[in-house]
């Protein structure tokens, strides 16, 4: 399979603090890749470098073989990369429908946008009966689903999720991951998922990277990592 996104020796800093040092990773088309690691390891920074929100100080980021390192974040969304950032909020005083339209703001195919809103209602049944409801009145899990649906409205080739399970009950986490897996299967969506909930992320992904202090410490097939005792002891807390 061709690589959809590839990071080659990427470094990034906040002032004098180096948050990423020489990170190399790739996500092949049609795969689900998990990016794991403790708090502060550099997971969100990695996604933000791909999205063009944080600049890379070294290395290259390639999407379908072409460097996107110097593109602005709008261009990167336009190229087919969407992110649901960590702790991002919905537009609380706008309806569910209006929130979904915002996800499509770089598109101008009106009919396609309305069709995709119907498709989202199919994937996320809790949203379908609430198009007119103010987004801020929904539960945390429903808002997380709306955020994912909103990111999908840009019709990304690569969807990046930053800690989608944060603050949600185990049942809701399972529901969200079930939908993510369904989207992956039915829409051939390629996914890069950042999680602290390593067990869930390894269960749904093909391949995983574990970040430690801004460097890739371990990588391998998710099924192998999930059963590797040293990985389990060091990183998974089980
Ligand atoms: N906006 C910022 N300004 C300064 N330092 C930051 C900023 N964002 C993150 N960092 C630092 O960069 C490192 C990596 O952070 P982050 O990528 O958010 O980790 P993770 O998502 O794995 O928890 C941490 O040491 C963090 O404190
Ligand atoms: Mg983070």
């Amino acid at each position: 399979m061709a690589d959809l996104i590839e990071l080659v020796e990427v470094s990034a800093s906040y002032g004098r603090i180096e948050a990423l040092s020489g990170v190399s990773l790739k996500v092949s088309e049609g795969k689900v890749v998990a990016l794991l690691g403790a708090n502060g390891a550099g997971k969100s920074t990695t996604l933000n470098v791909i999205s063009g929100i944080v600049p890379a100080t070294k290395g290259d980021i390639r999407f379908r073989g072409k460097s996107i390192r110097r593109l602005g974040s709008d261009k990167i969304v336009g190229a087919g990369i969407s992110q649901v950032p960590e702790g991002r909020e919905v537009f609380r005083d706008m309806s569910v429908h209006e929130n979904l339209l915002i996800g499509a703001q770089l598109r101008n195919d009106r009919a396609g946008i309305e069709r995709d809103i119907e498709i989202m209602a199919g994937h996320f049944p809790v949203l379908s009966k609430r198009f007119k409801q103010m987004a801020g009145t929904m539960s945390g899990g429903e808002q997380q689903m709306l955020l994912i649906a909103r990111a999908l409205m840009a019709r990304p080739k690569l969807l990046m999720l930053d800690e989608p399970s944060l603050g949600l009950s185990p049942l809701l986490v399972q529901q969200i991951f079930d939908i993510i897996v369904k989207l992956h299967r039915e829409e051939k969506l390629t996914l890069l998922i950042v999680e602290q909930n390593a067990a869930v992320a390894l269960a749904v992904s093909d391949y995983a990277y574990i970040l430690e202090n801004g460097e890739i410490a371990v990588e391998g097939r998710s099924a192998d990592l999930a059963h590797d005792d040293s990985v389990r002891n060091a990183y998974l807390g089980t």
Side-chain angles (χ1 to χ4, degrees), residues 81-94:
I81 300 177
S82 289
Q83 182 185 181
V84 179
E86 186 180 355
R88 163 63 68 83
E89 294 212 347
V90 296
F91 294 104
R92 304 182 65 84
D93 300 330
M94 291 187 185

Side-chain angles (χ1 to χ4, degrees), residues 193-214:
I193 305 176
V194 161
E195 261 300 336
Q196 285 206 39
N197 188 337
V200 175
L202 288 177
V204 303
S205 56
D206 300 295
Y207 200 85
Y209 294 87
I210 303 179
L211 268 175
E212 202 179 319
N213 295 322

Side-chain angles (χ1 to χ4, degrees), residues 4-5 27 50 63 80-83 156-160 189-192:
L4 194 56
I5 191 96
V27 183
I50 296 172
F63 183 61
I81 300 177
S82 289
Q83 182 185 181
K157 298 283 176 279
L158 174 69
L159 179 67
M160 304 192 293
L189 188 66
T190 306
L191 287 151
L192 177 56

Side-chain angles (χ1 to χ4, degrees), residues 14-15 17-20 37-46 48 86 162-163 194 196 211:
Y14 299 101
I17 301 165
E18 184 156 81
L20 298 180
N39 216 348
K43 305 180 298 296
S44 296
T45 303
T46 303
N48 287 334
E86 186 180 355
D162 198 346
E163 309 228 14
V194 161
Q196 285 206 39
L211 268 175

Side-chain angles (χ1 to χ4, degrees), residues 26-53:
K26 52 191 175 185
V27 183
S28 302
E29 195 147 10
K31 297 289 181 193
V32 181
V33 171
L35 182 59
L36 311 174
N39 216 348
K43 305 180 298 296
S44 296
T45 303
T46 303
L47 297 194
N48 287 334
V49 163
I50 296 172
S51 294
I53 296 163

Side-chain angles (χ1 to χ4, degrees), residues 14-199:
Y14 299 101
R16 259 181 272 157
I17 301 165
E18 184 156 81
L20 298 180
S21 334
V23 168
S24 296
L25 63 82
K26 52 191 175 185
V27 183
S28 302
E29 195 147 10
K31 297 289 181 193
V32 181
V33 171
L35 182 59
L36 311 174
N39 216 348
K43 305 180 298 296
S44 296
T45 303
T46 303
L47 297 194
N48 287 334
V49 163
I50 296 172
S51 294
I53 296 163
V54 170
T57 50
K58 286 191 202 131
D60 201 11
I61 303 126
R62 296 182 194 134
F63 183 61
R64 294 183 150 153
K66 282 194 191 148
S67 179
I68 56 166
R69 180 176 165 188
R70 296 185 196 285
L71 290 186
S73 26
D74 268 11
K75 287 244 163 60
I76 290 172
V77 174
I81 300 177
S82 289
Q83 182 185 181
V84 179
E86 186 180 355
R88 163 63 68 83
E89 294 212 347
V90 296
F91 294 104
R92 304 182 65 84
D93 300 330
M94 291 187 185
S95 70
V96 167
H97 189 261
E98 286 165 334
N99 268 271
L100 290 173
L101 285 178
I102 285 171
Q105 63 189 345
L106 293 176
R107 295 170 56 180
N108 39 35
D109 55 324
R110 215 168 240 274
I113 291 169
E114 282 308 321
R115 197 172 54 237
D116 282 353
I117 286 181
E118 289 309 315
I119 291 173
M120 288 312 142
H123 286 305
F124 298 91
V126 296
L127 301 181
S128 66
K129 297 177 196 89
R130 298 166 188 254
F131 280 159
K132 294 198 174 115
Q133 186 173 331
M134 287 301 123
T137 63
M138 295 197 304
S139 73
E142 289 160 357
Q143 291 189 25
Q144 184 62 262
M145 292 193 203
L146 176 56
L147 290 169
I148 297 170
R150 188 171 82 192
L152 288 168
M153 287 301 297
R155 285 232 185 148
K157 298 283 176 279
L158 174 69
L159 179 67
M160 304 192 293
L161 302 172
D162 198 346
E163 309 228 14
S165 74
L166 203 69
L168 301 182
S169 69
L171 182 65
L172 269 165
V173 171
Q174 196 54 52
Q175 277 179 15
I176 286 184
F177 273 87
D178 285 349
I179 294 172
I180 292 169
V181 168
K182 188 162 167 275
L183 281 164
H184 162 66
R185 292 216 182 105
E186 293 178 4
E187 312 266 331
K188 310 253 180 299
L189 188 66
T190 306
L191 287 151
L192 177 56
I193 305 176
V194 161
E195 261 300 336
Q196 285 206 39
N197 188 337

